[in-house]
Amino acid sequence: MSGPAQLFDAVGPRGRARQRIFGVVASVIALTLGGFALIRLGEKGNLAPEKWSPFATSVLWQEYLLPGLVGTIRAAIISVVLATTLGLLLGVGRLSTLPPLRWLSSVLVEFFRAVPVLMMMLFAFAVFSFNRVFPSEYLSLAAVVTGLTLYNGAVIAELLRAGVQNLPSGQREAGLSVGLTPAQALRHVQLPQALTAMLPALVSQLVVVLKDSALGYVITYEELLNKATQIGTAYANVVPALTVVALLFILLNAALTMLAGRVERRLLRRGHTSAILGDPTRVQPTMEPADP
């Protein structure tokens, strides 16, 4: 059996040596810049203990960081659920055999991918506030969720379409050969395999959803970045506040990546077959009695 195909030739000894040299040089440059930044921050008093001591108090966490964390996670969870649903619908629409549905889905996907997320948030905020669609306390959340859902739903739809089209053509033909309709073959055979194959890209997109929730700062949504500016104003420690919030974002993204990695490994262990067990359209082999 031949080995897996490679896009590029394997790096030789000289190439590996150059890579190590470049890695060392890049590390030295990064450490130098980091040290220079720390020196400048120290000169401005941003590393003074009194700037960081408020983060050791429960008042700051209860009034600022925990509400901001809840707001970020709430917007991200709602957006992920809605964006995944919208992405599946648009992705299946782009793969439909009906030309009007395929054309409409393609137009929506390309449009929402082209419009910046912040612009969609601002537009949704203006529309919702002018028409009083939501109560004032939920207005910012609705606008943030709308922008994140439309953009990331379009991206997920494109990922789904690419995942299905990259599958071997024999998968669809095998489903059709056992009596499945094209829609059933897409739903039972192609989609499960495409979702498993595109899981790493989906995880990356979910991380984007979590980070882009910080754009709600512009429309006064109570999330982590908004709370960081409030902490900086109240305690005169903008740099420490932004640093702590950045660490919280890193921890959230790392936890999401680890969770998705566990789900991916579990799916890979279970595997996916080309037909659904118990499907009434599946052809069952007949057992012939053996000759005595």
Side-chain angles (χ1 to χ4, degrees):
M1 181 181 295
S2 60
Q6 295 181 351
L7 295 178
F8 305 100
D9 293 334
V11 180
R14 292 184 178 180
R16 290 194 295 268
R18 284 194 297 268
Q19 289 178 350
R20 286 194 293 268
I21 294 173
F22 291 153
V24 171
V25 172
S27 300
V28 170
I29 294 175
L31 291 175
T32 303
L33 293 177
F36 177 75
L38 289 175
I39 292 173
R40 296 294 295 172
L41 290 174
E43 292 176 351
K44 297 295 183 180
N46 289 302
L47 300 181
E50 58 269 17
K51 298 285 187 179
W52 299 85
S53 57
F55 295 98
T57 63
S58 60
V59 176
L60 185 143
W61 284 86
Q62 292 175 359
E63 294 185 1
Y64 296 100
L65 290 180
L66 289 181
L69 189 63
V70 171
T72 296
I73 294 176
R74 178 173 57 182
I77 290 177
I78 298 175
S79 301
V80 165
V81 173
L82 295 180
T84 303
T85 304
L86 179 63
L88 289 175
L89 292 176
L90 291 177
V92 172
R94 294 200 71 179
L95 296 168
S96 174
T97 57
L98 300 176
L101 180 59
R102 187 170 62 250
W103 179 85
L104 177 61
S105 300
S106 300
V107 169
L108 292 176
V109 168
E110 296 302 328
F111 177 79
F112 290 136
R113 287 177 62 198
V115 179
V117 181
L118 181 57
M119 184 178 295
M120 287 191 284
M121 288 184 184
L122 293 172
F123 181 79
F125 185 81
V127 171
F128 294 159
S129 59
F130 181 78
N131 295 282
R132 298 181 180 179
V133 180
F134 297 96
S136 57
E137 61 269 21
Y138 297 111
L139 187 59
S140 298
L141 173 63
V144 170
V145 169
T146 299
L148 293 176
T149 298
L150 295 179
Y151 175 77
N152 292 283
V155 174
I156 291 174
E158 185 62 17
L159 290 174
L160 182 63
R161 182 196 64 81
V164 170
Q165 291 185 348
N166 286 335
L167 290 175
S169 59
Q171 299 292 333
R172 181 174 183 273
E173 294 171 358
L176 297 177
S177 66
V178 296
L180 298 178
T181 65
Q184 290 174 331
L186 175 64
R187 185 171 64 252
H188 295 313
V189 179
Q190 294 174 290
L191 282 182
Q193 298 180 71
L195 289 173
T196 302
M198 61 184 275
L199 192 57
L202 275 176
V203 172
S204 300
Q205 200 59 37
L206 299 184
V207 172
V208 170
V209 173
L210 187 63
K211 294 189 297 183
D212 282 352
S213 64
L215 295 174
Y217 165 81
V218 178
I219 54 177
T220 67
Y221 179 61
E222 296 289 324
E223 43 75 47
L224 278 174
L225 182 58
N226 194 314
K227 291 299 183 180
T229 59
Q230 295 179 14
I231 293 172
T233 302
Y235 295 91
N237 59 350
V238 176
V239 173
L242 292 175
T243 302
V244 171
V245 167
L247 292 175
L248 290 176
F249 270 112
I250 292 173
L251 291 176
L252 286 174
N253 292 330
L256 179 61
T257 303
M258 292 176 59
L259 177 62
R262 293 185 60 182
V263 173
E264 181 182 7
R265 288 191 295 271
R266 184 173 181 179
L267 288 176
L268 291 176
R269 285 198 301 267
R270 291 174 57 186
H272 292 284
T273 60
S274 298
I276 302 300
L277 295 177
D279 193 334
T281 61
R282 186 181 180 186
V283 177
Q284 301 291 341
T286 56
M287 299 296 294
E288 297 292 341
D291 294 334

